[in-house]
Amino acid sequence: MVGEFIYPSLFSNTPTVKKREKFDQTVKMGGLETERTTTGWAARDPSGVLSPYTYTLRSTGPEDVFVKVMCCGICHTDLHQAKNDLGMSNYPMVPGHEVVGEVLEVGSDVSKFRVGDIVGVGCIVGCCRNCRPCDSDNEQYCHKKIWSYNDVYTDGKPTQGGFAGSMVVDQKFVVNIPEGMAPEQVAPLLCAGVTVYSPLNHFGLMGSGLRGGILGLGGVGHMGVKIAKAMGHHVTVISSSDKKKVEALEHLGADDYLVSSDAEGMQKAADSLDYIIDTVPVFHPLEPYLSLLKLNGKLILTGVINTPLQFVSPMVMLGRKSITGSFIGSMKETEEMLNFCKEKNLTSMIEVVKMDYINTAMERLEKNDVRYRFVVDVAGSKLDQ
């Protein structure tokens, strides 16, 4: 499987609903309450090396959905978190926030899902539900949001992500996967896809005829090209080299390709773009890209960078340009994005690996050696080895 691009579904047959008895369970001594355990692959320290780790899941509450993980994408943020690049990691940590799985059990108050449904779980598994962002369906900006992993849930236990056999998630933070979409293709959409869709939606950039730029052609960037093209935009990929030019133009359907170090090409493209979605997750200068924007153009930052970025103010002032940011998307936008991708027949370009390859995959991701997203076949992996 390693190194192979996968397009047909690994899970093409209708999933069989398995009995809960097949899952590892232990009973608390002296009580009747049953604890469910699962095995994931966790980082133990800032080396970021992942290895098997068995831990307890909470019981399925009234609003909860118990999900058997089928597959999970690997995002650059997983790398940041596993290696404590942001200085906020807690160990042991099971990463993974692009999760697709099968519902095995639902709580008594769950109305959106049934046993056997194929569902997705993204970056967030909790919020306060009563602040302005939560009230306006922007729960990803809630100051009390709970991350899928490397966080603490309301019960005081650490949250753990999708590089694991199963998860228990509040139904608010679970989405149905449209029928006919392959699970491994959907996984990257739950972060990379909605990260692009959300700012285009929010800033009113979904109409046809716009000219957009995608800076960086990785997991988020390649979905940016596909989604923007499906909206009818003229799309220019901007990269630091011409290594991905053929892929961008011929495989992804971009209209133009700019190398940022090509002074003549960058000059010719000045004042030509309505927006740029900046997906680069490391430090880079902003001024070369601000020059590409039209009057009122927007540079939209989506990459997590832990060092300050710089620019001179006239670059923004003399074109009424905006530097703004966007973080994933809301649950509402995630559902809209999945339906949009289903309607437009959009898929992600992926490389499927088993869990025992995950450390190599993380090393390759750090070197940008993937086209364009790794997806772990969790259900087909031996998690305890």
Side-chain angles (χ1 to χ4, degrees):
M1 298 276 290
V2 175
E4 180 183 359
F5 288 107
I6 302 296
Y7 293 98
S9 175
L10 294 172
F11 309 96
S12 55
N13 295 325
T14 303
T16 301
V17 178
K18 295 180 174 62
K19 295 181 180 180
R20 284 179 50 197
E21 286 81 6
K22 289 189 177 181
F23 283 80
D24 184 9
Q25 295 178 338
T26 58
V27 179
K28 284 185 176 179
M29 298 299 293
L32 299 177
E33 183 179 355
T34 300
E35 282 191 342
R36 182 186 289 124
T37 63
T38 193
T39 298
W41 277 51
R44 264 63 172 206
D45 55 54
S47 72
V49 175
L50 276 61
S51 58
Y53 169 63
T54 299
Y55 54 97
T56 301
L57 296 173
R58 71 176 184 273
S59 300
T60 307
E63 296 279 347
D64 287 334
V65 179
F66 174 44
V67 177
K68 176 193 174 185
V69 178
M70 300 168 72
C71 53
C72 185
I74 305 179
C75 174
H76 211 281
T77 301
D78 297 324
L79 191 61
H80 281 312
Q81 295 280 27
K83 293 198 167 189
N84 197 28
D85 289 342
L86 306 178
M88 48 186 267
S89 297
N90 298 290
Y91 303 98
M93 175 203 306
V94 178
H97 59 253
E98 299 178 343
V99 187
V100 177
E102 176 194 350
V103 175
L104 295 188
E105 183 180 69
V106 297
S108 57
D109 294 338
V110 172
S111 57
K112 295 173 59 179
F113 307 100
R114 298 180 298 176
V115 170
D117 284 351
I118 305 303
V119 298
V121 180
C123 297
I124 296 173
V125 294
C127 65
C128 78
R129 304 186 189 228
N130 56 24
C131 65
R132 180 177 292 181
C134 288
D135 289 342
S136 60
D137 288 325
N138 288 292
E139 63 280 338
Q140 73 272 33
Y141 298 113
C142 173
H143 291 309
K144 296 182 180 179
K145 61 181 168 288
I146 301 174
W147 304 98
S148 301
Y149 65 90
N150 194 35
D151 207 343
V152 178
Y153 200 66
T154 54
D155 60 0
K157 293 184 178 180
T159 58
Q160 303 289 8
F163 296 169
S166 53
M167 300 176 72
V168 177
V169 186
D170 187 296
Q171 67 170 336
K172 177 177 174 61
F173 300 95
V174 180
V175 291
N176 267 310
I177 304 303
E179 187 176 350
M181 297 185 79
E184 71 278 10
Q185 294 285 353
V186 170
L189 302 180
L190 298 170
C191 175
V194 76
T195 293
V196 173
Y197 182 91
S198 178
L200 294 176
N201 175 54
H202 174 75
F203 292 114
L205 299 170
M206 293 180 68
S208 62
L210 295 175
R211 299 180 71 90
I214 304 296
L215 177 55
L217 195 59
V220 176
H222 97 284
M223 285 311 307
V225 175
K226 289 193 166 199
I227 289 174
K229 284 296 295 180
M231 292 177 178
H233 299 182
H234 180 285
V235 178
T236 299
V237 170
I238 311 161
S239 187
S240 58
S241 75
D242 61 3
K243 289 191 300 184
K244 298 180 181 178
K245 183 174 182 178
V246 173
E247 296 171 24
L249 298 176
E250 297 184 7
H251 298 166
L252 297 176
D255 298 287
D256 284 312
Y257 191 95
L258 272 177
V259 177
S260 56
S261 59
D262 176 7
E264 183 178 351
M266 293 286 284
Q267 180 60 38
K268 287 181 179 178
D271 303 315
S272 66
L273 302 177
D274 294 293
Y275 67 87
I276 296 173
I277 296 181
D278 183 345
T279 72
V280 178
V282 295
F283 174 83
H284 56 286
L286 299 184
E287 291 173 8
Y289 312 110
L290 289 168
S291 69
L292 300 176
L293 294 172
K294 296 178 181 178
L295 175 67
N296 297 323
K298 289 180 171 57
L299 177 62
I300 304 166
L301 304 176
T302 63
V304 177
I305 304 169
N306 61 357
T307 53
L309 302 178
Q310 295 179 335
F311 63 96
V312 294
S313 59
M315 292 292 298
V316 174
M317 296 164 57
L318 299 179
R320 202 161 56 198
K321 300 172 184 180
S322 302
I323 300 173
T324 187
S326 183
F327 174 63
I328 54 169
S330 66
M331 299 310 300
K332 180 180 178 182
E333 286 174 322
T334 302
E335 292 176 344
E336 291 175 0
M337 178 273 305
L338 289 173
N339 289 326
F340 177 84
C341 290
K342 172 69 183 297
E343 177 189 347
K344 301 294 185 180
N345 196 29
L346 299 183
T347 58
S348 48
M349 293 181 67
I350 59 175
E351 184 176 334
V352 177
V353 299
K354 301 292 189 184
M355 190 67 80
D356 60 7
Y357 188 78
I358 196 164
N359 289 309
T360 302
M362 297 281 257
E363 291 173 4
R364 287 178 54 193
L365 176 61
E366 191 167 25
K367 299 172 184 175
N368 199 26
D369 178 24
V370 58
R371 301 293 186 273
Y372 284 92
R373 202 65 147 192
F374 284 115
V375 175
V376 182
D377 174 14
V378 178
S381 298
K382 295 180 180 178
L383 299 181
D384 57 352
Q385 297 180 4

